């Protein structure tokens, strides 16, 4: 839910964050740089680009809003006024980044009293910026600038669905996911934050993901909501805390997808 009296973020500020991050990520993209693993068992990659981009974003936020808190994937949390928290994923889709695929993005979102009220997703290799600043959702990039609007899809049978991979849904959740996928017209895998941007832009209808962290989703919630869509956890709760997440182009489609998954 978006509250009244939202904190307004100027588009120019999101542009400055996107540019600062791009200055760190683009020179390292497709350069075969070193990759570290955060996990003792499994694989959760992190690169110098992740760390340098988050540092650059944090510096700009702290300079502009010194009273605000910050939560980032790479460097954790910094306390603020208790009301405003900026949430950063410097490279959402690091696996895509190290694989040379341009579907990763830089995510920055602002929460006010726990609600995501503004956010951006920048894909610098393709020159695209998706953002919401409290007065709608917008695109800047190839083809010009435009206001974003989700599709008006309400029927699962005509919907396009994205997920990173069905393998993230375990045990009974995998059977529920398979049932939902069987109900839609088209399913596509593996495009990370770009999938959520495509829902906001009106090219897809559903994104379902398992086990997201707040920095994976906070920046994307306002972009979809302010374009006309809905984002919640699969249990219907608020998505800002992360978890198993569903984003939909319309409220009717969201209700139908939740019912199908949770039946």
């Amino acid at each position: 839910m978006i509250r009244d009296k939202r904190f307004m973020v100027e588009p120019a500020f999101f542009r400055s964050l996107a540019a600062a991050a791009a200055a760190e990520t683009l020179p390292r993209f497709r350069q075969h740089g070193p990759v570290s693993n955060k996990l003792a068992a499994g694989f959760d990659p992190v690169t110098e680009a992740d760390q340098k981009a988050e540092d650059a974003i944090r510096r700009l936020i702290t300079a502009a809003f010194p009273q605000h808190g910050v939560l980032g994937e790479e460097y954790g949390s910094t306390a603020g006024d208790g009301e405003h928290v900026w949430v950063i994923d410097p490279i959402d889709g690091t696996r895509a980044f190290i694989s040379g695929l341009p579907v990763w993005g830089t995510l920055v979102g602002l929460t006010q009293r726990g609600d995501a009220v503004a956010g951006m997703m920048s894909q610098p290799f393709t020159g695209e910026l998706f953002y919401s600043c409290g007065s709608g959702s917008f695109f800047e990039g190839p083809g010009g600038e435009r206001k974003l609007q989700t599709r008006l899809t309400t029927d699962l049978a005509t919907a396009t669905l994205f997920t990173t991979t069905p393998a993230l849904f375990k045990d009974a959740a995998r059977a529920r996911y398979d049932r939902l996928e069987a109900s839609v017209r088209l399913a596509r895998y593996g495009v990370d934050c770009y999938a959520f941007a495509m829902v906001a832009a009106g090219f897809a209808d559903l994104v379902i993901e398992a086990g997201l962290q707040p920095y994976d989703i906070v920046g994307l919630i306002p972009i979809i909501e302010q374009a006309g869509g809905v984002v919640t956890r699969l249990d219907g709760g608020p998505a800002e805390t992360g978890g198993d997440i569903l984003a939909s182009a319309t409220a009717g489609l969201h209700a139908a997808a939740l019912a199908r998954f949770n039946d």
Side-chain angles (χ1 to χ4, degrees):
M1 180 180 67
I2 301 174
R3 299 173 185 263
D4 292 333
K5 298 184 179 179
R6 294 184 297 254
F7 186 90
M8 300 296 290
V9 179
E10 292 295 328
F13 186 66
F14 281 135
R15 295 185 195 111
S16 71
L17 297 182
E24 302 295 345
T25 56
L26 275 184
R28 295 176 171 89
F29 184 50
R30 296 182 176 172
Q31 296 301 310
H32 305 288
V35 179
S36 301
N37 184 12
K38 297 179 183 179
L39 300 180
F43 184 55
D44 186 9
V46 62
T47 69
E48 183 181 58
D50 293 89
Q51 296 163 338
K52 294 291 188 180
E54 181 170 325
D55 185 58
I57 293 167
R58 280 177 173 267
R59 288 199 305 269
L60 287 176
I61 291 172
T62 300
F65 306 106
Q67 73 277 23
H68 290 184
V70 180
L71 170 65
E73 180 177 12
E74 305 306 329
Y75 295 116
S77 60
T78 301
D81 60 13
E83 180 171 346
H84 303 93
V85 179
W86 293 85
V87 184
I88 306 165
D89 192 343
I91 300 179
D92 183 83
T94 301
R95 291 172 177 82
F97 184 90
I98 65 176
S99 301
L101 300 174
V103 292
W104 52 276
T106 295
L107 302 180
V108 182
L110 173 66
T111 62
Q112 181 176 2
R113 297 186 295 275
D115 291 332
V117 295
M120 69 165 232
M121 192 285 271
S122 168
Q123 211 314 308
F125 188 78
T126 59
E128 295 176 292
L129 176 64
F130 303 81
Y131 66 91
S132 59
C133 53
S135 60
S137 294
F138 303 90
F139 170 83
E140 297 179 3
E145 301 178 8
R146 64 181 182 272
K147 189 171 184 178
L148 297 175
Q149 175 63 56
T150 59
R151 288 200 291 214
L152 300 180
T153 308
T154 58
D155 185 359
L156 285 173
T158 63
T160 296
L161 176 147
F162 282 105
T163 192
T164 297
T165 170
L168 294 176
F169 294 90
K170 306 298 184 183
D171 304 322
R174 176 58 188 271
R176 292 176 177 178
Y177 169 81
D178 289 342
R179 185 170 61 221
L180 177 61
E181 182 181 308
S183 301
V184 304
R185 179 170 62 184
L186 175 64
R188 304 295 293 167
Y189 305 150
V191 291
D192 301 299
C193 59
Y194 207 84
F196 291 90
M198 292 302 97
V199 170
F203 294 106
D205 305 294
L206 296 165
V207 183
I208 183 170
E209 296 287 6
L212 297 188
Q213 298 297 321
Y215 45 74
D216 297 316
I217 190 63
V218 165
L220 297 162
I221 293 170
I223 300 173
I224 292 177
E225 288 185 340
Q226 294 177 33
V230 180
V231 189
T232 71
R233 295 197 311 259
L234 285 172
D235 63 8
E240 282 87 349
T241 56
D244 300 338
I245 301 297
L246 178 69
S248 307
T250 65
L253 184 65
H254 197 78
L258 284 180
R260 185 65 172 156
F261 185 87
N262 292 314
D263 185 11

